[in-house]
Amino acid sequence: MSDLEPGVHPSGRNGASAAVDPYVAEYPGVCGGYPVIRETRIPIRLVVQFARDGASVDELATMWPTVTTAQIQGALDYYAQHPHRVDEDIARNESVALTAHPTPTHR
């Protein structure tokens, strides 16, 4: 994905690119190149995970005062259209966390 321009997402069809998302972008070297709220380092995976835990759009916007409710909703809309990309990032982060902090075994 690092060869794509920020905000251009793969369409999966003949290498053509989808339209630029107004709220979400992917930047090489930022958050592993996975989707973030445009012009921030806030991963879409975090927005999705907090929303899954019951946080509202307004609560998330309060949590990140530099973004608007429209940006938060845009992130959730992106997830609805591209769940595989965000789920891949969630799985990657869970795997890294387990590797970095393995569960202790009892003897």
Side-chain angles (χ1 to χ4, degrees):
M1 298 278 321
S2 63
D3 59 334
L4 295 178
E5 291 296 317
V8 178
H9 309 285
S11 69
R13 181 179 286 237
N14 301 326
S17 296
V20 172
D21 188 291
Y23 298 111
V24 176
E26 294 180 6
Y27 303 104
V30 175
C31 296
Y34 284 91
V36 296
I37 295 176
R38 182 173 290 286
E39 297 181 10
T40 76
R41 291 179 175 264
I42 301 170
I44 302 307
R45 72 177 154 75
L46 285 182
V47 175
V48 169
Q49 288 174 309
F50 284 125
R52 284 179 180 167
D53 288 341
S56 71
V57 171
D58 290 332
E59 289 170 327
L60 292 172
T62 299
M63 189 165 134
W64 293 301
T66 60
V67 298
T68 66
T69 55
Q71 288 172 295
I72 299 293
Q73 187 59 58
L76 295 171
D77 292 344
Y78 174 88
Y79 178 68
Q81 295 175 346
H82 306 282
H84 59 282
R85 184 71 178 144
V86 179
D87 289 341
E88 180 182 301
D89 190 22
I90 291 169
R92 179 184 69 93
N93 275 274
E94 288 173 352
S95 174
V96 168
L98 289 174
T99 302
H101 304 288
T103 305
T105 58
H106 297 283
R107 294 186 185 191

